[in-house]
Amino acid sequence: MSAAPRRELHAAGRVLELGERPWLMGIVNATPDSFSDGRPGEGLAERVARARDLMAAGADIIDIGGESAITNQPPVPAAEELARVVPLVEAVAGELGAVVSIDTYKPEVAEAAIAAGAAIVNDVSGLRDPRMADVCARTGAALVIMHTAAPPKVRRQEPDLYGDVREQVERFLGARMDEAVQRGVAAPQIMLDPGPDFAKTPAQTIVLIREVARLHALGRPLLMALSRKDFIGAITGQPPSRRLAGTLAALDFAVRAGGHVFRLHDVAAARDFLAVAAALEDDGPVDGALALADELRHEPRPA
């Protein structure tokens, strides 16, 4: 089903072969105030269990974050963010053997997370602090560069912010990629994220995603973070917890546009959606032995 060009992503000694199929990135927020799945009182064991469940559901990468992107709360001090994410990264990368991405814009947090086992740095600031590139150059970790026109924790929703949002995102990502390479990051370590909703109105995000395939010209894999986004809520009129159908529609479009990695809360639903779509689109022979297990014919009756 994938329409993505084949790309390699070098990530702390690993080589991830992207493009043959969609890769799923499951989200584990080590925060009490996430906009869509904050879990006050949740501890390390519960978060490790959530990562394990995501892997069992089909997640190829686990993205761990210690600070919510919501803008009505102040930034989390680096020491607190480290306390939230480092033990979790150690457990998920070590005990579970997962490919871990650390969602942070703080170089000191990224460096500690890489030392704990993270292989990818997901920098949602758009390389606002160039020291992040230095960390990835030194460690060999992959670097996700996301487009945003606002500092972290700052909301910008300006209908006239961009002349052409598609052109400006492409130019921004190309320039930040060049800067990272100049600071020692190898091009195969870089993945790009167009940044849906970040410093973009829902209308600007839709315009951008419609032509996201133009970013293939930059030659790097694309991370599409579409799950439960505001633009989906604006279209459907649904709060974050009820945006699954809209998320799957966005996933379908982004796969067809050639996205490589898809950051999601609902990994199991995305896996099932992609499996059915792939089976129906395949023009090869259908396995005649395909059958439904008897125990799946009906919902189990309550005891």
Side-chain angles (χ1 to χ4, degrees):
M1 176 175 184
S2 177
R6 300 293 179 90
R7 307 279 192 225
E8 285 188 353
L9 182 67
H10 294 191
R14 296 176 172 88
V15 177
L16 309 183
E17 300 284 352
L18 305 177
E20 182 177 358
R21 61 172 178 82
W23 278 49
L24 304 181
M25 175 186 278
I27 301 168
V28 177
N29 287 318
T31 61
D33 58 351
S34 169
F35 85 99
S36 65
D37 66 349
R39 293 173 168 86
E42 185 181 58
L44 177 61
E46 290 85 1
R47 289 167 179 159
V48 173
R50 189 143 48 96
R52 182 183 292 107
D53 289 346
L54 288 168
M55 294 173 67
D60 301 286
I61 302 168
I62 300 296
D63 190 52
I64 292 173
E67 179 178 287
S68 169
I70 62 172
T71 56
N72 62 358
Q73 298 290 332
V76 174
E80 182 175 349
E81 188 174 344
L82 285 165
R84 290 177 178 180
V85 302
V86 168
L88 183 56
V89 171
E90 287 177 341
V92 175
E95 296 173 24
L96 304 187
V99 178
V100 171
S101 167
I102 180 67
D103 180 345
T104 188
Y105 58 87
K106 302 182 181 79
E108 58 269 43
V109 174
E111 187 142 28
I114 294 165
I120 302 169
V121 175
N122 186 6
D123 180 7
V124 296
S125 78
L127 205 59
R128 184 168 288 268
D129 187 336
R131 293 180 301 155
M132 190 69 87
D134 299 339
V135 170
C136 291
R138 186 165 56 250
T139 62
L143 172 63
V144 178
I145 302 175
M146 189 193 79
H147 173 271
T148 180
K153 308 294 282 187
V154 174
R155 178 179 170 84
R156 291 190 72 178
Q157 296 282 288
E158 302 168 24
D160 58 353
L161 181 59
Y162 307 100
D164 183 333
V165 65
R166 299 157 297 187
E167 179 182 335
Q168 289 184 240
V169 168
E170 184 176 2
R171 189 185 313 126
F172 174 99
L173 291 175
R176 294 299 169 93
M177 184 168 67
D178 288 345
E179 181 178 1
V181 170
Q182 289 168 8
R183 298 185 78 97
V185 179
Q189 290 173 247
I190 297 172
M191 183 157 56
L192 303 175
D193 177 353
D197 281 359
F198 280 82
K200 300 172 188 72
T201 65
Q204 290 162 346
T205 293
I206 292 167
V207 169
L208 173 63
I209 293 174
R210 282 178 175 177
E211 295 193 31
V212 74
R214 67 188 287 169
L215 296 179
H216 292 313
L218 296 173
R220 299 309 308 137
L222 300 182
L223 170 64
M224 301 298 296
L226 302 169
S227 187
R228 305 181 185 177
K229 289 288 188 172
D230 283 358
F231 82 94
I232 295 171
I235 294 168
T236 63
Q238 298 289 357
S241 64
R242 298 181 64 184
R243 294 177 189 167
L244 176 57
T247 295
L248 295 178
L251 170 65
D252 180 58
F253 181 89
V255 168
R256 295 173 191 277
H260 293 82
V261 179
F262 301 88
R263 185 177 183 273
L264 298 154
H265 299 85
D266 305 290
V267 169
R271 174 204 60 199
D272 292 350
F273 176 91
L274 292 171
V276 173
L280 295 175
E281 290 180 5
D282 191 344
D283 57 4
V286 178
D287 182 0
L290 182 67
L292 180 67
D294 286 341
E295 64 269 20
L296 298 179
R297 291 185 181 279
H298 306 284
E299 290 292 328
R301 295 184 179 184

